Amino acid sequence: MTTIQVTTTPRSLIGPIGGKRVRGAALAAALLCLPALGLTSLTGPAAAAPVPEEMVSRSAAKLQGLDKITARTSTFTIAVGETKALGSLRITLRACKENPPIEPPETAAFLEVIESKPGEQAEPVFSGWMFASSPALSAMEHPIYDVWVLSCEGD
């Protein structure tokens, strides 16, 4: 543990405003010395937990879909590389990643969604990352269906 020596200021050096200027400067100097002494805060540990370089990959994702016309929701699990149907949509999971347990919870899934209507050519509806904590950040825009990520599953 590092000790900081504190000395008192003689009364003759204290300014006319009750020493606020000198005492404030001494406090500021002491706080500026904390990083040089290896301290990150006055009460916390000397070093914070290391930040992971990347999220952990999982083998499956738990998704939820909503049919806006019938108001029916369906929850399903999909493996990486697998394609599942939700009405006229074909949803393919390309990746599912989540933060390690020591980090704040966050789940992200890379989805490709294609709409296949009978007698028409399939059209891509969505391709990108969806985040469980912020579904509106990267939402799929479709007049009939909503799809969002709940969590990652598997190893």
Side-chain angles (χ1 to χ4, degrees):
M1 178 175 196
T2 306
T3 305
I4 299 174
Q5 184 177 0
V6 178
T7 58
T8 58
T9 305
R11 283 269 179 218
S12 61
L13 296 177
I14 296 176
I17 312 175
K20 289 183 182 175
R21 182 176 32 217
V22 174
R23 290 182 190 147
L27 177 61
L31 291 174
L32 289 173
C33 291
L34 288 176
L37 297 172
L39 300 174
T40 57
S41 70
L42 294 175
T43 58
V51 177
E53 291 186 13
E54 59 182 65
M55 299 172 85
V56 179
S57 294
R58 299 291 182 208
S59 60
K62 189 175 193 178
L63 305 179
Q64 190 160 32
L66 168 67
D67 183 330
K68 297 176 190 176
I69 295 173
T70 63
R72 285 195 173 139
T73 60
S74 57
T75 304
F76 54 96
T77 301
I78 182 171
V80 172
E82 184 181 7
T83 300
K84 290 233 176 169
L86 175 66
S88 63
L89 301 181
R90 303 295 173 257
I91 303 164
T92 304
L93 177 67
R94 296 294 178 200
C96 194
K97 296 182 178 247
E98 65 184 356
N99 276 347
I102 61 170
E103 292 295 315
E106 179 60 270
T107 299
F110 191 91
L111 299 175
E112 291 177 352
V113 182
I114 296 173
E115 184 171 24
S116 299
K117 293 180 182 176
E120 295 181 22
Q121 187 173 356
E123 290 184 30
V125 175
F126 179 85
S127 180
W129 289 98
M130 283 190 182
F131 299 90
S133 64
S134 305
L137 180 66
S138 179
M140 180 187 80
E141 294 182 22
H142 191 271
I144 300 172
Y145 300 102
D146 275 342
V147 175
W148 60 93
V149 179
L150 296 177
S151 63
C152 285
E153 296 183 346
D155 298 331

